[in-house]
PDB file of all heavy atoms in Angstrom:
ATOM      1  N   ALA A   8       6.285   7.368   6.344  1.00 95.00           N
ATOM      2  CA  ALA A   8       7.413   7.245   7.353  1.00 95.00           C
ATOM      3  C   ALA A   8       7.165   5.934   8.049  1.00 95.00           C
ATOM      4  O   ALA A   8       6.049   5.387   8.250  1.00 95.00           O
ATOM      5  CB  ALA A   8       7.439   8.376   8.278  1.00 95.00           C
ATOM      6  N   ALA A   9       8.276   5.322   8.523  1.00 95.00           N
ATOM      7  CA  ALA A   9       8.198   4.130   9.333  1.00 95.00           C
ATOM      8  C   ALA A   9       7.462   4.457  10.646  1.00 95.00           C
ATOM      9  O   ALA A   9       7.651   5.602  11.163  1.00 95.00           O
ATOM     10  CB  ALA A   9       9.575   3.559   9.577  1.00 95.00           C
ATOM     11  N   LEU A  10       6.755   3.573  11.208  1.00 95.00           N
ATOM     12  CA  LEU A  10       6.072   3.752  12.452  1.00 95.00           C
ATOM     13  C   LEU A  10       7.036   3.646  13.632  1.00 95.00           C
ATOM     14  O   LEU A  10       7.956   2.805  13.646  1.00 95.00           O
ATOM     15  CB  LEU A  10       4.999   2.707  12.640  1.00 95.00           C
ATOM     16  CG  LEU A  10       3.860   2.724  11.587  1.00 95.00           C
ATOM     17  CD1 LEU A  10       2.874   1.513  11.818  1.00 95.00           C
ATOM     18  CD2 LEU A  10       3.015   4.016  11.540  1.00 95.00           C
ATOM     19  N   LEU A  15       3.206   1.689  16.207  1.00 95.00           N
ATOM     20  CA  LEU A  15       2.941   0.317  15.788  1.00 95.00           C
ATOM     21  C   LEU A  15       1.990  -0.350  16.842  1.00 95.00           C
ATOM     22  O   LEU A  15       1.020  -1.077  16.440  1.00 95.00           O
ATOM     23  CB  LEU A  15       4.268  -0.478  15.654  1.00 95.00           C
ATOM     24  CG  LEU A  15       4.129  -1.923  15.124  1.00 95.00           C
ATOM     25  CD1 LEU A  15       3.648  -1.917  13.719  1.00 95.00           C
ATOM     26  CD2 LEU A  15       5.493  -2.647  15.226  1.00 95.00           C
ATOM     27  N   HIS A  61       7.373  -1.017   1.222  1.00 98.00           N
ATOM     28  CA  HIS A  61       7.009  -0.720   2.559  1.00 98.00           C
ATOM     29  C   HIS A  61       5.564  -1.263   2.854  1.00 98.00           C
ATOM     30  O   HIS A  61       4.711  -0.924   2.040  1.00 98.00           O
ATOM     31  CB  HIS A  61       7.034   0.808   2.796  1.00 98.00           C
ATOM     32  CG  HIS A  61       6.829   1.207   4.223  1.00 98.00           C
ATOM     33  ND1 HIS A  61       6.801   2.582   4.653  1.00 98.00           N
ATOM     34  CD2 HIS A  61       6.679   0.514   5.411  1.00 98.00           C
ATOM     35  CE1 HIS A  61       6.644   2.678   5.976  1.00 98.00           C
ATOM     36  NE2 HIS A  61       6.534   1.443   6.478  1.00 98.00           N
ATOM     37  N   LEU A  62       5.450  -2.099   3.852  1.00 98.00           N
ATOM     38  CA  LEU A  62       4.179  -2.788   4.053  1.00 98.00           C
ATOM     39  C   LEU A  62       3.933  -3.063   5.484  1.00 98.00           C
ATOM     40  O   LEU A  62       4.801  -2.998   6.376  1.00 98.00           O
ATOM     41  CB  LEU A  62       4.183  -4.109   3.290  1.00 98.00           C
ATOM     42  CG  LEU A  62       5.139  -5.229   3.743  1.00 98.00           C
ATOM     43  CD1 LEU A  62       4.431  -6.333   4.360  1.00 98.00           C
ATOM     44  CD2 LEU A  62       6.026  -5.650   2.691  1.00 98.00           C
ATOM     45  N   LEU A  63       2.630  -3.238   5.789  1.00 98.00           N
ATOM     46  CA  LEU A  63       2.194  -3.757   7.120  1.00 98.00           C
ATOM     47  C   LEU A  63       1.600  -5.117   6.827  1.00 98.00           C
ATOM     48  O   LEU A  63       0.931  -5.382   5.809  1.00 98.00           O
ATOM     49  CB  LEU A  63       1.049  -2.864   7.646  1.00 98.00           C
ATOM     50  CG  LEU A  63       1.445  -1.431   8.057  1.00 98.00           C
ATOM     51  CD1 LEU A  63       0.267  -0.617   8.469  1.00 98.00           C
ATOM     52  CD2 LEU A  63       2.580  -1.421   9.020  1.00 98.00           C
ATOM     53  N   GLN A  64       1.857  -6.057   7.779  1.00 98.00           N
ATOM     54  CA  GLN A  64       1.343  -7.438   7.696  1.00 98.00           C
ATOM     55  C   GLN A  64       0.649  -7.849   8.919  1.00 98.00           C
ATOM     56  O   GLN A  64       1.210  -7.739  10.039  1.00 98.00           O
ATOM     57  CB  GLN A  64       2.540  -8.429   7.352  1.00 98.00           C
ATOM     58  CG  GLN A  64       2.046  -9.847   7.255  1.00 98.00           C
ATOM     59  CD  GLN A  64       3.160 -10.823   7.171  1.00 98.00           C
ATOM     60  OE1 GLN A  64       4.336 -10.506   7.417  1.00 98.00           O
ATOM     61  NE2 GLN A  64       2.900 -12.092   6.927  1.00 98.00           N
ATOM     62  N   LEU A  82       0.987  -7.894  14.373  1.00 95.00           N
ATOM     63  CA  LEU A  82       1.204  -6.851  13.306  1.00 95.00           C
ATOM     64  C   LEU A  82       2.640  -6.645  13.066  1.00 95.00           C
ATOM     65  O   LEU A  82       3.425  -6.410  14.055  1.00 95.00           O
ATOM     66  CB  LEU A  82       0.513  -5.496  13.697  1.00 95.00           C
ATOM     67  CG  LEU A  82       0.734  -4.358  12.741  1.00 95.00           C
ATOM     68  CD1 LEU A  82       0.126  -4.690  11.332  1.00 95.00           C
ATOM     69  CD2 LEU A  82       0.142  -3.066  13.259  1.00 95.00           C
ATOM     70  N   PHE A  83       3.055  -6.747  11.825  1.00 96.00           N
ATOM     71  CA  PHE A  83       4.446  -6.537  11.424  1.00 96.00           C
ATOM     72  C   PHE A  83       4.528  -5.285  10.495  1.00 96.00           C
ATOM     73  O   PHE A  83       3.585  -5.078   9.719  1.00 96.00           O
ATOM     74  CB  PHE A  83       5.016  -7.754  10.619  1.00 96.00           C
ATOM     75  CG  PHE A  83       5.036  -8.994  11.505  1.00 96.00           C
ATOM     76  CD1 PHE A  83       3.904  -9.862  11.496  1.00 96.00           C
ATOM     77  CD2 PHE A  83       6.156  -9.394  12.227  1.00 96.00           C
ATOM     78  CE1 PHE A  83       3.879 -10.983  12.274  1.00 96.00           C
ATOM     79  CE2 PHE A  83       6.180 -10.531  12.928  1.00 96.00           C
ATOM     80  CZ  PHE A  83       5.053 -11.355  13.000  1.00 96.00           C
ATOM     81  N   GLU A  84       5.644  -4.557  10.614  1.00 97.00           N
ATOM     82  CA  GLU A  84       5.929  -3.560   9.626  1.00 97.00           C
ATOM     83  C   GLU A  84       7.253  -3.963   8.949  1.00 97.00           C
ATOM     84  O   GLU A  84       8.226  -4.259   9.698  1.00 97.00           O
ATOM     85  CB  GLU A  84       6.059  -2.172  10.262  1.00 97.00           C
ATOM     86  CG  GLU A  84       6.412  -1.054   9.257  1.00 97.00           C
ATOM     87  CD  GLU A  84       6.607   0.315   9.848  1.00 97.00           C
ATOM     88  OE1 GLU A  84       7.212   0.325  10.963  1.00 97.00           O
ATOM     89  OE2 GLU A  84       6.246   1.251   9.270  1.00 97.00           O
ATOM     90  N   GLU A  85       7.352  -3.892   7.700  1.00 97.00           N
ATOM     91  CA  GLU A  85       8.599  -4.244   7.009  1.00 97.00           C
ATOM     92  C   GLU A  85       8.942  -3.161   5.950  1.00 97.00           C
ATOM     93  O   GLU A  85       8.097  -2.666   5.212  1.00 97.00           O
ATOM     94  CB  GLU A  85       8.459  -5.582   6.284  1.00 97.00           C
ATOM     95  CG  GLU A  85       8.495  -6.763   7.241  1.00 97.00           C
ATOM     96  CD  GLU A  85       8.751  -8.076   6.558  1.00 97.00           C
ATOM     97  OE1 GLU A  85       9.336  -8.078   5.383  1.00 97.00           O
ATOM     98  OE2 GLU A  85       8.471  -9.145   7.165  1.00 97.00           O
ATOM     99  N   GLN A  86      10.194  -2.826   5.886  1.00 97.00           N
ATOM    100  CA  GLN A  86      10.803  -1.986   4.896  1.00 97.00           C
ATOM    101  C   GLN A  86      11.802  -2.859   4.135  1.00 97.00           C
ATOM    102  O   GLN A  86      12.756  -3.239   4.718  1.00 97.00           O
ATOM    103  CB  GLN A  86      11.439  -0.769   5.441  1.00 97.00           C
ATOM    104  CG  GLN A  86      10.529   0.173   6.215  1.00 97.00           C
ATOM    105  CD  GLN A  86      11.280   1.309   6.915  1.00 97.00           C
ATOM    106  OE1 GLN A  86      11.663   2.195   6.283  1.00 97.00           O
ATOM    107  NE2 GLN A  86      11.483   1.075   8.231  1.00 97.00           N
ATOM    108  N   ILE A  98      14.186  -4.231   7.240  1.00 96.00           N
ATOM    109  CA  ILE A  98      13.942  -3.734   8.590  1.00 96.00           C
ATOM    110  C   ILE A  98      12.478  -4.210   9.016  1.00 96.00           C
ATOM    111  O   ILE A  98      11.526  -3.810   8.312  1.00 96.00           O
ATOM    112  CB  ILE A  98      14.088  -2.252   8.674  1.00 96.00           C
ATOM    113  CG1 ILE A  98      15.469  -1.790   8.229  1.00 96.00           C
ATOM    114  CG2 ILE A  98      13.774  -1.806  10.071  1.00 96.00           C
ATOM    115  CD1 ILE A  98      15.593  -0.287   8.179  1.00 96.00           C
ATOM    116  N   ARG A  99      12.442  -4.998  10.044  1.00 96.00           N
ATOM    117  CA  ARG A  99      11.149  -5.561  10.494  1.00 96.00           C
ATOM    118  C   ARG A  99      10.859  -5.322  11.920  1.00 96.00           C
ATOM    119  O   ARG A  99      11.730  -5.570  12.746  1.00 96.00           O
ATOM    120  CB  ARG A  99      11.174  -7.059  10.197  1.00 96.00           C
ATOM    121  CG  ARG A  99       9.823  -7.798  10.359  1.00 96.00           C
ATOM    122  CD  ARG A  99       9.953  -9.229  10.073  1.00 96.00           C
ATOM    123  NE  ARG A  99       8.708  -9.842   9.544  1.00 96.00           N
ATOM    124  CZ  ARG A  99       8.348 -11.107   9.854  1.00 96.00           C
ATOM    125  NH1 ARG A  99       9.023 -11.804  10.704  1.00 96.00           N
ATOM    126  NH2 ARG A  99       7.292 -11.556   9.246  1.00 96.00           N
ATOM    127  N   SER A 100       9.639  -4.768  12.236  1.00 96.00           N
ATOM    128  CA  SER A 100       9.233  -4.587  13.562  1.00 96.00           C
ATOM    129  C   SER A 100       7.920  -5.350  13.755  1.00 96.00           C
ATOM    130  O   SER A 100       7.170  -5.596  12.835  1.00 96.00           O
ATOM    131  CB  SER A 100       9.009  -3.093  13.907  1.00 96.00           C
ATOM    132  OG  SER A 100      10.230  -2.400  13.671  1.00 96.00           O
ATOM    133  N   ARG A 101       7.574  -5.689  15.004  1.00 94.00           N
ATOM    134  CA  ARG A 101       6.300  -6.433  15.294  1.00 94.00           C
ATOM    135  C   ARG A 101       5.701  -5.996  16.638  1.00 94.00           C
ATOM    136  O   ARG A 101       6.409  -5.505  17.528  1.00 94.00           O
ATOM    137  CB  ARG A 101       6.562  -7.935  15.230  1.00 94.00           C
ATOM    138  CG  ARG A 101       7.427  -8.444  16.348  1.00 94.00           C
ATOM    139  CD  ARG A 101       7.233  -9.990  16.471  1.00 94.00           C
ATOM    140  NE  ARG A 101       6.004 -10.315  17.138  1.00 94.00           N
ATOM    141  CZ  ARG A 101       5.412 -11.526  17.096  1.00 94.00           C
ATOM    142  NH1 ARG A 101       6.105 -12.530  16.446  1.00 94.00           N
ATOM    143  NH2 ARG A 101       4.310 -11.779  17.687  1.00 94.00           N
ATOM    144  N   LEU A 246       2.063  -0.246   1.458  1.00 98.00           N
ATOM    145  CA  LEU A 246       1.987   1.275   1.537  1.00 98.00           C
ATOM    146  C   LEU A 246       2.627   1.935   0.285  1.00 98.00           C
ATOM    147  O   LEU A 246       2.167   2.998  -0.154  1.00 98.00           O
ATOM    148  CB  LEU A 246       2.618   1.755   2.804  1.00 98.00           C
ATOM    149  CG  LEU A 246       2.129   1.075   4.082  1.00 98.00           C
ATOM    150  CD1 LEU A 246       2.883   1.618   5.292  1.00 98.00           C
ATOM    151  CD2 LEU A 246       0.629   1.332   4.238  1.00 98.00           C
TER     152      LEU A 246
END
Side-chain angles (χ1 to χ4, degrees):
L10 299 176
L15 185 66
H61 187 181
L62 66 114
L63 297 177
Q64 178 189 13
L82 176 62
F83 299 86
E84 179 185 38
E85 288 197 17
Q86 300 172 77
I98 302 174
R99 191 182 209 213
S100 303
R101 66 164 286 165
L246 304 179

